[in-house]
Amino acid sequence: MTTNRNSRRDFMKTSIAGAAGIAISSRASSYARILGANDRVRVAFVGPGDRARDALIPAFLRLAVELNFEPVAVCDIWNKRRDEGADFVAQKADELKVPLGGEQLAKARNTDELYSMKNIDAVIIATADFQHAYHCIEGVRAGKDVYVEKPFANTMNDARAALKLVSA
C-alpha cells in the first residue's frame, strides 16, 4: 500500500495548474498519454454550486483527459444543487469528450456518504468559504487528496487545524 503524501502533492500541483489555466507543455502531454488505469485519479466535487460550475469544473474538465483525471461523483446536501451539479458535469464532460467514471456520476447526499465510496481518490472542495478548512480536514482524514479554493479559512483556529493535519 502506498502513502497518500506523494499523491496528494501531485494532485495539488496538477489541480492548481488546471484551475489557474496554466498551459501544459507538450512533454506533460506525452507523459499523460502513457499513464495507465491504475494511475487515473478519480475525482468528486463537493459543493457543485455557481462558483464550481463557472470556473472549477470547466477548468478541471479541460485538462482531465490529459492529466488522467476522471470525474466520478458530486456531493451536496441540497438535492437540487446535487442534481444540477451532476447534470452540469455530465453535460460538460460530454462536450469535452471526457469519460465519466461509470455510466453516470454518483450523487452523494453528504460527505459521509461520499467518503464511504471506494472509487474516490480526490475531492475538489467548492463549498461556502467558511466551510473550506472543515471539508479539507474531512477529506484528508478520509484518505483523499484534496483541492480547496481560497479563501481557505475564516479563523486561524480552522487554518491551524487543517495545517496540522495536512503537514503531519
Side-chain angles (χ1 to χ4, degrees):
M1 182 170 187
T2 61
T3 64
N4 282 338
R5 175 157 276 175
N6 286 335
S7 61
R8 182 174 298 119
R9 287 185 183 136
D10 294 340
F11 175 74
M12 290 302 294
K13 288 176 189 173
T14 54
S15 295
I16 290 168
I22 296 173
I24 303 300
S25 70
S26 62
R27 184 174 180 186
S29 298
S30 62
Y31 178 73
R33 280 178 269 182
I34 63 170
L35 294 174
N38 290 339
D39 299 313
R40 187 165 299 125
V41 179
R42 298 161 302 189
V43 180
F45 301 97
V46 178
D50 294 337
R51 167 90 176 116
R53 290 195 307 256
D54 289 345
L56 293 175
I57 293 170
F60 168 83
L61 290 172
R62 278 193 294 276
L63 295 171
V65 171
E66 189 172 352
L67 298 174
N68 213 20
F69 289 165
E70 181 178 71
V72 294
V74 171
C75 175
D76 201 293
I77 59 172
W78 187 19
N79 63 343
K80 180 181 188 297
R81 205 48 108 177
R82 185 173 56 245
D83 292 342
E84 287 173 353
D87 291 345
F88 179 82
V89 172
Q91 183 254 333
K92 272 290 195 204
D94 186 51
E95 284 176 18
L96 297 169
K97 310 270 188 281
V98 175
L100 299 177
E103 290 293 315
Q104 61 184 13
L105 290 171
K107 297 177 191 175
R109 294 173 294 171
N110 55 51
T111 52
D112 290 337
E113 193 174 285
L114 179 72
Y115 295 137
S116 70
M117 296 176 186
K118 301 298 180 206
N119 68 332
I120 307 291
D121 298 316
V123 292
I124 294 177
I125 307 296
T127 57
D129 292 351
F130 71 93
Q131 297 174 328
H132 289 169
Y134 172 79
H135 283 290
C136 176
I137 291 168
E138 222 181 21
V140 171
R141 283 190 178 142
K144 310 304 178 196
D145 297 324
V146 178
Y147 171 82
V148 185
E149 62 178 350
K150 65 179 189 176
F152 182 72
N154 282 7
T155 68
M156 286 308 295
N157 285 340
D158 290 347
R160 286 185 187 111
L163 177 62
K164 183 178 179 180
L165 180 64
V166 170
S167 62

